[in-house]
């Protein structure tokens, strides 16, 4: 017993010496960091507002589509197209948050599987019978399907013609309405899940960094979204996962040729999530501040700065591409490759360094560790 | 030397500690297996994955399909029950050892030191007459009852457990752990929401305290548990230490297994009183005359066990035969009681090139691997190599033979910024697995960050 006590005293003495050494170059223990305030900031000022906007934009889109269907003219078509583009942009802002209600609604799979299958859509339109909730119809609905329906025939006049005197015009109008209202249903279900469904409270109370915690969900889904951005938005169309040549028809929003704007918005949204930046530009407590709190280094500087700089580099690379992306993948392969490489470097930082520093497990299921 | 020790090793000691250990170990294993099945891990880890990462030399160990895997786990559970109650004990222990070890050998993704510990304890249990006291085998065949067993039968478990702790302690004597408080400095702040200790976990000095106390604990606890006068205090420390690890880290049953297994260090009297109390409850009487378990082929067994422990002592040192820092290369990392020492993570981009067309495609790892497999693969060289071979085979099966596979892998370790892990130009498909050092692992030098993406060709 006495020996044991002696050892304990010695160990504590060693420690005392050591910790005093440590504080010399660290400048004292880290300051308090209010994680709950950070998580509440994410829920109240980023996530819920983003889903509110998305809900409103899809609602407006449904109204515009209905107006177009009621009286198909170039005027109503232009309004519907604009509403669709606004809603598609708003989707980029929420797709980072695919957990909780958004995960239940399988937002990404139900709203944004591309390339869409024009042939299957035409089949559905022709037959007039289809089950858009069936797994087989994932590539005939959502925004990519709207993209085809509103832009596929080319000129505004051609689209209007499809919905007036074209074959199966009535079926086509109904299909367009069905697809757009399904998009809004999903958006609305997620928004109500966060608000009246009280998921915001569940999220705020999921403390720690384990699987299913608020921080764990944020970090993992942010990474997943960056990975999708790199692979699906840029990688597939530039032919990196297939053999050899570019595949322009694999871009997001192929028919409306807005891929590049959606890509940039996705990167901006991911950066805003990382920074805890609200839609009006207020920079609140975010993952970057959390990284600074644990004093995560990278090279000579801070990891948070390296990640922020890398977001900017990816965005700058995307800005350097002359749109549309479906043409750029063949005409400016170097510029597109640059975007891809910058996103790759970003993933290394957000998927390797960031979760390590925050003690977040890259995992979606519970398992034992060593 | 063994000759001189022989009288000491074979001297009769009370069979009670061994019987208690058997009951506890069997019970904990049964609970662990049921928990494993209940959590759905049999399906998740051994049915759903498309590919597996077997150990070098054990490539023949394959999963048995859904029915087969559940059957195997059922056998394992029944065998654990057999160990606990001491029924058909030797067969139960052997079946448990074989089934458990088979499952562990299927996929190194799931390697845990705890599982290795269970495997070798099960093997040791096969060798001892733990069923000849306080067991159903004794009720079945009363003449097999013994009051005493040879000392080595108890000693090997204390020695094995002592080695686990001591080597875990030695492994902690490294600069990252002692001077940087890594990785605890990163892990503890994730738990600041805990009651009582939560706020403390944000303090760097607490991480240092945990690190230094942890090393001191691991290195000394076998001795303090062995010494009668410090035993109670030492055991209290065991309970507190393992409870803390259970609260702070996701390590499943292991803390509880260690908490009850270390009871074997307690005195014969303690275990006899414990069993006496249970006998009182069950109204079973113990024979009055003492009996000593004679062990067949004892000299051979002793020599084999001596050899076994020599191997156990040497294996954790095999890393010195490899160049480069152990934590970085992980050559000689497993089977060495290195627990909780690293916060290591990697991201791996694989590229497969068809030499005929010259085209190179990037691989989406999730098309082949589970999240856990991808995570483990991305930071362990032998798994990177195995995965490269899987990719080559898959392409060959799809009509594209002789592909070249290279990987751009970034790994961060204990707070060092992520950097290139292996040579991204090496054709891994042409590299063979062996125990030789892997020359394509890049050195862990403090390179200037950030690095440039290597990218696709």
């Amino acid at each position: 017993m006495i020996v044991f006590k002696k050892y304990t005293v010695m160990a504590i003495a060693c420690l005392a010496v050591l910790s005093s050494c440590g504080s010399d170059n660290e400048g004292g223990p880290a300051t308090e960091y209010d994680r709950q305030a950070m998580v509440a900031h994410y829920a109240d000022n980023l996530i819920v507002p983003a889903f509110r906007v998305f809900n409103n934009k899809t609602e407006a889109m449904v109204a515009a589509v209905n107006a177009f269907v009621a009286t198909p003219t170039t005027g109503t078509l232009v309004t519907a197209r604009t509403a669709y583009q606004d809603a598609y942009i708003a989707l980029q802002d929420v797709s980072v948050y695919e957990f909780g209600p958004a995960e239940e609604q399988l937002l990404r799979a139900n709203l944004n599987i591309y390339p869409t299958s024009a042939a299957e859509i035409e089949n559905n339109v022709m037959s007039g019978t289809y089950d858009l909730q069936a797994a087989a119809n994932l590539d005939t609905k959502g925004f990519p399907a709207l993209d085809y329906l509103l832009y596929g025939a080319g000129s505004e006049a051609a689209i209007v013609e499809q919905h007036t005197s074209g074959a199966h015009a009535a079926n086509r109008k109904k299909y367009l309405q069905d697809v757009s209202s399904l998009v809004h249903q999903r958006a609305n279900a997620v928004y109500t899940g966060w608000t009246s469904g009280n998921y915001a409270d569940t999220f705020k109370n999921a403390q720690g960094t384990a699987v299913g915690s608020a921080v764990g969900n944020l970090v993992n889904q942010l990474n997943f979204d960056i990975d999708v951005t790199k692979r699906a938005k840029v990688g597939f169309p530039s032919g990196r996962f297939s053999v050899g040549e570019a595949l322009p028809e694999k871009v997001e929003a192929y028919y409306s040729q807005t891929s590049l704007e959606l890509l940039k918005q996705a990167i901006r949204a991911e950066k805003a999530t990382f920074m805890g930046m609200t839609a009006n530009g207020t920079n609140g407590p975010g993952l970057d501040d959390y990284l600074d709190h644990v004093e995560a280094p990278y090279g000579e500087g801070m990891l948070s700065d390296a990640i922020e700089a890398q977001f900017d580099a990816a965005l700058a690379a995307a800005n350097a591409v002359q749109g549309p992306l479906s043409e750029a993948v063949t005409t400016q392969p170097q510029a597109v490759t640059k975007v891809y490489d910058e996103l790759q470097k970003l993933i290394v930082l957000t998927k390797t360094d960031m979760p390590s520093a925050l003690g977040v497990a890259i995992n979606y299921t519970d398992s034992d560790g060593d | 030397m063994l000759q001189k020790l022989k009288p000491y090793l074979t001297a009769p000691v009370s069979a009670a500690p061994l019987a208690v250990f058997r009951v506890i170990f069997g019970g904990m294993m049964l609970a662990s297996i049921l928990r494993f099945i209940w959590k759905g891990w049999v399906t998740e880890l051994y049915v759903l994955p498309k590919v597996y990462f077997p150990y070098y030399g054990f490539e023949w160990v394959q999963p048995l399909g859904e029915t087969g895997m559940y059957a195997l786990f059922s056998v394992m559970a029944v065998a654990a029950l057999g160990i606990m109650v001491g029924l058909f004990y030797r067969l139960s222990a052997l079946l448990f050892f074989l089934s458990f070890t088979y499952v562990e050998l299927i996929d190194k993704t799931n390697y845990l030191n705890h599982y290795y510990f269970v495997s070798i304890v099960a093997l040791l249990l096969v060798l001892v007459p733990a069923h000849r006291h306080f067991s159903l085998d004794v009720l079945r065949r009363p003449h097999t009852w013994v009051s005493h067993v040879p000392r080595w039968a108890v000693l090997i478990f204390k020695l094995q457990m002592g080695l686990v702790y001591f080597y875990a302690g030695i492994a902690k004597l490294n600069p990252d752990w002692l001077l940087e408080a890594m990785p605890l400095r990163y892990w503890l702040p994730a738990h600041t929401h805990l009651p009582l200790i939560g706020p403390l976990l944000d303090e760097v000095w607490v991480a240092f305290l945990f690190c230094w106390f942890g090393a001191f604990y691991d290195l000394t606890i076998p001795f303090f548990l062995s010494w009668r006068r410090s035993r109670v205090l030492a055991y209290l420390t065991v309970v507190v230490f393992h409870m803390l690890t259970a609260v702070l880290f996701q390590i499943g049953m292991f803390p509880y297994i260690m908490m009850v297994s270390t009871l074997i260090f307690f005195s014969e009297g303690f275990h006899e009183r414990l069993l006496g109390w249970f006998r009182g409850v069950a109204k079973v009487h113990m024979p009055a005359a003492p009996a000593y378990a004679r062990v067949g082929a004892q000299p051979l067994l002793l020599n084999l066990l001596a050899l076994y422990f020599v191997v156990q002592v040497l294996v954790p040192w095999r890393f010195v035969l490899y160049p480069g820092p152990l934590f970085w290369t992980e050559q000689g990392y497993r089977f060495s009681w290195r627990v909780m020492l690293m916060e290591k993570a990697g991201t791996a981009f694989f590229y497969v090139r068809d030499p005929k067309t010259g085209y190179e495609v990037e691989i989406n790892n999730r098309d082949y691997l589970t999240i856990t497999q991808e995570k483990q693969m991305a930071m362990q060289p032998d798994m990177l190599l195995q995965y490269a071979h899987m990719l080559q085979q898959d392409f060959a099966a799809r009509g594209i033979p002789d592909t070249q596979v290279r990987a751009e892998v970034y790994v961060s370790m204990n707070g060092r910024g992520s950097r290139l892990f292996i040579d991204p130009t090496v054709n891994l498909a042409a590299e063979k697995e062996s125990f030789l050092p892997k020359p394509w692992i890049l050195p862990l030098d403090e390179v200037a960050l950030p690095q440039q993406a290597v990218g696709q060709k």
Side-chain angles (χ1 to χ4, degrees):
Chain A
M1 206 72 104
I2 294 160
V3 176
F4 193 78
K5 269 185 196 152
K6 267 187 196 161
Y7 271 109
T8 315
V9 169
M10 261 170 61
I12 290 172
C14 288
L15 262 160
V17 172
L18 201 82
S19 52
S20 59
C21 287
S23 45
D24 280 347
N25 45 29
E26 300 285 347
T31 48
E32 283 294 307
Y33 187 70
D34 193 344
R35 290 170 187 74
Q36 270 198 289
M38 175 183 83
V39 169
H41 171 67
Y42 271 109
D44 299 338
N45 304 329
L46 274 85
I47 303 176
V48 171
F51 279 118
R52 186 185 304 126
V53 169
F54 184 52
N55 185 41
N56 293 343
K57 296 284 183 192
T58 54
E59 195 175 12
M61 177 179 79
V62 169
V65 162
N66 287 345
F68 168 68
V69 165
T71 38
T73 63
T74 42
T76 52
L77 176 63
V78 168
T79 315
R81 281 180 166 184
T82 310
Y84 144 84
Q85 288 195 9
D86 287 351
Y88 211 170
I89 286 285
L91 173 71
Q92 310 300 321
D93 288 332
V94 298
S95 70
V96 185
Y97 308 119
E98 183 137 337
F99 43 81
E103 190 183 12
E104 279 167 33
Q105 294 297 323
L106 297 170
L107 226 46
R108 205 176 269 117
N110 276 313
L111 301 193
N112 205 13
I113 293 286
Y114 52 89
T116 196
S117 171
E120 283 174 52
I121 290 176
E122 289 303 331
N123 267 338
N124 287 345
V125 166
M126 208 153 47
S127 71
T129 52
Y130 40 82
D131 174 12
L132 289 181
Q133 306 291 11
N137 271 322
L138 282 179
D139 59 352
T140 67
K141 64 175 178 177
F143 286 97
L146 290 171
D147 186 62
Y148 170 74
L149 292 165
L150 293 174
Y151 294 85
S155 70
E156 290 166 6
I159 303 283
V160 172
E161 201 255 18
Q162 270 187 325
H163 292 82
T164 47
S165 53
H168 312 289
N171 281 3
R172 188 175 299 275
K173 287 198 276 192
K174 181 169 183 303
Y175 197 81
L176 178 61
Q177 281 181 305
D178 285 349
V179 173
S180 75
S181 68
L182 267 182
V183 167
H184 174 58
Q185 268 180 35
R186 298 279 177 189
N188 189 255
V190 178
Y191 178 58
T192 37
W194 272 91
T195 50
S196 42
N198 279 331
Y199 184 77
D201 288 342
T202 312
F203 180 75
K204 289 177 197 169
N205 291 324
Q207 300 182 56
T209 59
V211 173
S213 64
V215 174
N217 278 335
L218 275 172
V219 170
N220 277 317
Q221 288 309 316
L222 175 60
N223 275 318
F224 191 78
D225 205 59
I226 299 174
D227 191 48
V228 169
T229 302
K230 170 193 164 232
R231 194 156 32 88
K233 288 189 205 290
V234 188
F236 291 155
S238 43
R240 289 167 168 277
F241 293 83
S242 44
V243 188
E245 65 262 26
L247 303 166
E249 70 282 2
K250 291 214 170 188
V251 295
E252 188 179 26
Y254 173 69
Y255 299 98
S256 61
Q257 303 198 325
T258 52
S259 330
L260 208 52
E261 195 39 55
L262 296 175
L263 166 68
K264 290 177 201 168
Q265 188 61 29
I267 300 173
R268 281 193 289 262
E270 286 149 5
K271 184 186 172 192
T273 300
F274 174 70
M275 309 286 293
M277 180 105 69
T278 64
N280 62 24
T282 313
N283 190 352
L287 293 172
D288 60 332
D289 305 294
Y290 194 179
L291 283 174
D292 289 344
H293 165 70
V294 297
E295 297 171 349
Y298 184 77
E300 297 298 304
M302 301 298 285
L303 178 58
S304 62
D305 294 335
I307 293 177
E308 190 185 347
Q310 193 53 43
F311 269 116
D312 292 339
L315 207 50
N319 280 328
V321 177
Q322 303 301 309
L325 187 58
S326 50
E327 286 169 19
V329 288
T330 42
T331 58
Q332 314 152 49
Q334 281 177 326
V336 177
T337 297
K338 175 81 173 150
V339 180
Y340 193 81
D341 287 347
E342 296 301 342
L343 285 171
Q344 175 137 325
K345 282 154 72 180
L346 178 63
I347 285 179
V348 170
L349 295 176
T350 55
K351 197 174 161 185
T352 311
D353 298 67
M354 177 166 72
S356 279
L358 300 182
V360 171
I362 288 281
N363 217 336
Y364 304 92
T365 52
D366 177 35
S367 65
D368 288 345
D370 220 4
Chain B
M1 171 132 134
L2 204 59
Q3 282 310 314
K4 275 189 198 157
L5 274 172
K6 203 182 161 206
Y8 174 79
L9 292 174
T10 54
V13 296
S14 166
L18 187 60
V20 171
F21 183 77
R22 187 204 79 224
V23 173
I24 283 175
F25 184 80
M28 293 307 279
M29 287 309 109
L30 181 59
S32 304
I33 295 160
L34 293 178
R35 170 177 176 267
F36 201 93
I37 297 171
W38 177 74
K39 290 231 181 202
W41 290 347
V42 179
T43 305
E44 195 183 311
L45 301 182
Y46 297 109
V47 179
L48 293 183
K50 295 172 191 151
V51 293
Y52 297 88
F53 291 84
Y55 289 87
Y56 183 50
F58 290 91
E59 289 80 2
W60 50 274
V61 178
Q62 293 289 319
L64 307 174
E66 186 167 20
T67 319
M69 287 315 295
Y70 276 95
L72 189 60
F73 271 86
S74 306
V75 168
M76 209 191 293
V78 171
L81 182 66
I83 292 175
M84 183 174 101
V85 299
L87 184 63
F88 304 113
Y89 169 75
R90 298 271 188 184
L91 180 67
S92 293
L94 186 65
L95 276 180
F96 180 81
F97 165 69
L98 291 177
S99 55
F100 191 93
T101 308
Y102 188 91
V103 169
E104 292 322 312
L105 288 176
I106 291 174
D107 195 342
K108 63 172 75 146
T109 303
N110 307 319
Y111 172 80
L112 293 182
N113 286 289
H114 317 159
Y115 293 150
Y116 172 50
F117 173 74
V118 167
S119 266
I120 59 178
V121 168
L123 176 63
L124 293 177
L125 274 174
V126 177
L127 308 176
V128 295
H131 59 312
R132 297 181 65 181
H133 194 83
F134 197 74
S135 74
L136 291 185
D137 278 340
V138 174
L139 284 184
R140 214 159 47 89
R141 296 159 63 203
H143 67 276
T144 60
W145 180 85
V146 296
S147 58
H148 289 77
V149 293
R151 189 190 305 266
W152 62 262
V154 182
L155 205 58
I156 53 174
F157 295 100
K158 294 186 188 176
L159 189 55
Q160 183 62 63
M161 240 176 293
L163 276 175
V164 171
Y165 276 119
F166 191 71
Y167 270 114
I170 287 185
K172 288 184 173 67
L173 303 181
N174 71 72
D176 280 7
W177 183 267
L178 295 174
L179 303 179
E180 303 288 336
M182 272 300 206
L184 290 190
R185 181 200 280 236
Y186 272 178
W187 288 347
L188 295 182
H191 301 275
T192 41
H193 61 286
L194 291 175
L196 290 173
I197 55 169
L200 284 175
L201 300 178
D202 237 356
E203 306 284 347
V204 175
W205 66 265
V206 174
F208 274 105
L209 180 76
F210 274 51
C211 284
W212 281 67
F213 175 74
F216 173 77
Y217 167 86
D218 278 339
L219 285 169
T220 56
I221 201 69
F223 305 106
F224 285 128
L225 277 172
S226 303
W227 189 29
R228 189 179 55 79
R229 290 176 63 190
S230 60
R231 191 172 295 140
V232 174
L233 185 62
Y235 189 70
L236 275 177
T237 321
V238 169
V239 172
V240 170
F241 177 84
H242 285 298
M243 284 307 287
L244 261 178
T245 61
V247 170
L248 293 176
F249 311 117
Q250 221 170 352
I251 45 179
M253 296 290 289
F254 184 68
Y256 310 103
I257 293 173
M258 288 314 270
M259 261 188 260
V260 286
S261 296
T262 39
L263 284 174
I264 199 170
F265 284 96
F266 278 64
S267 70
E268 298 178 349
F270 169 84
H271 288 97
E272 278 161 10
R273 279 195 298 280
L274 196 66
L275 292 183
W277 184 79
F278 278 109
R279 284 195 191 92
V281 171
K283 298 200 166 45
V284 184
H285 292 287
M286 195 168 63
Y292 175 58
R294 308 242 168 263
V295 175
Q298 186 162 262
L300 175 67
L301 210 50
L302 281 178
N303 280 308
L304 285 176
L305 281 169
L307 184 67
Y308 166 84
F309 278 106
V310 169
V311 171
Q312 279 292 323
V313 167
L314 290 180
V315 160
W317 296 108
R318 72 190 187 283
F319 76 92
V320 300
L321 301 175
Y322 294 98
L326 169 66
F327 289 3
W328 182 248
T329 69
E330 293 200 43
Q331 300 186 110
Y333 191 83
R334 298 188 192 98
F335 312 112
S336 306
W337 315 119
R338 297 196 173 86
V339 288
M340 303 247 120
L341 291 176
M342 286 196 300
E343 173 52 55
K344 195 178 180 189
T347 305
F349 307 100
F350 273 81
Y351 306 105
V352 178
R353 183 170 176 271
D354 180 355
K356 238 186 285 171
T357 63
Y359 285 140
E360 192 177 66
V361 295
E362 186 178 338
I363 300 298
N364 179 17
N365 295 330
R366 291 300 313 285
D367 290 346
Y368 294 85
L369 308 178
T370 66
I371 293 172
T372 317
Q373 284 176 328
E374 183 184 7
K375 174 182 153 189
Q376 296 291 339
M377 175 277 292
M379 59 182 174
Q380 297 178 43
D382 57 342
M383 293 180 76
L384 287 164
L385 185 61
Q386 277 177 299
Y387 181 49
H389 290 168
M390 287 174 205
L391 289 176
Q392 193 201 32
Q393 283 157 19
D394 182 61
F395 273 72
R398 290 193 280 127
I400 311 172
D402 305 320
T403 47
Q404 296 158 1
V405 183
R406 51 185 202 92
E408 182 179 348
V409 185
Y410 296 88
V411 169
S412 78
M413 189 189 88
N414 281 353
R416 295 171 184 84
S418 54
R419 61 203 66 195
L420 268 184
F421 185 46
I422 63 170
D423 184 345
T425 62
V426 161
N427 174 18
L428 293 172
E431 298 292 319
K432 295 268 173 290
E433 176 61 298
S434 76
F435 288 125
L436 294 173
K438 295 176 170 55
W440 36 269
I441 302 175
L442 295 175
L444 169 72
D445 289 325
E446 293 294 335
V447 286
L449 301 169
Q451 294 189 341
Q452 285 304 305
V454 178
Q456 208 165 350
K457 279 178 189 162

